Amino acid sequence: REVPSVRCMKEEDIPRMVEMCADAFMDDDLMRYAYGPIDSIFHTLVSDLYKAYFQHTSAYENQIMTEDGNAVAMWLPYPHDWPFSLWDSFSEHHDKMIEKYGDEIMKQRFHELEEWFDMQREEMNKRSHYLVLLATRSSFRGRGYARAVLAPMLERADAEGIDCYLECNNPINVPFYEKLGFKVIKEMKVPIIQHPKYPNESYPSVKFIVKKEEESGS
């Protein structure tokens, strides 16, 4: 099977990458917990979120996409800090978007999740390249796209002797990461804020996954 060609993202790629991510995460239980079951509201808010990821989180050279735009991996390479100042500005904007399209519970969940992930990231992400985002368009899964966009940074990590770290809330994806040398370190339920409109919704768990360089055989 032909390996998809990859390259670094450019600013002009953002609109189609946002659209692709909205498709890729349409059935993601963590994103659904944050933004609810109504597709039109979900699509608007998750698109706003991923636009901010691409614009504010990492340099374009660390955002690897397939040439056809059907998969992307975004990394924060070591040493790094989360861009809190940019995200403070985004959070204010996103609050207004949630108030317009969602409700107060969604806003509470967004901020609770933001603080929780910051705390977990500080504990787990000591000396490692951090995989912020991996997305493949739903109709292109199983074709080697995810492996292709991950390969450049994993090869760099091997050469540098640096660990890699990510969070995963979809258990179906864990075997894929394990084949690449990652191991689940711990699993936790997200902080729960119940929504009276959706009493039967599920509450996702997140697995914290690390590829230790000393265990990778390099």
Side-chain angles (χ1 to χ4, degrees), residues 111-125:
H111 287 291
E112 186 75 15
L113 287 169
E114 191 175 37
E115 292 177 7
W116 185 76
F117 274 109
D118 287 345
M119 183 173 62
Q120 301 305 322
R121 192 179 298 120
E122 184 176 351
E123 176 188 342
M124 296 291 297
N125 192 19

Side-chain angles (χ1 to χ4, degrees), residues 28-37 41-42 45-46 49 94 98 103 105-110 113 195 201-202 204:
D28 182 87
D29 63 351
L30 181 61
M31 291 293 99
R32 284 294 181 177
Y33 170 73
Y35 297 122
I41 295 173
F42 177 88
L45 294 176
V46 83
L49 176 69
H94 202 56
I98 294 174
D103 56 39
I105 300 296
M106 286 185 191
K107 188 163 72 171
Q108 291 176 21
R109 286 180 171 184
F110 172 73
L113 287 169
H195 200 304
E201 67 181 348
S202 60

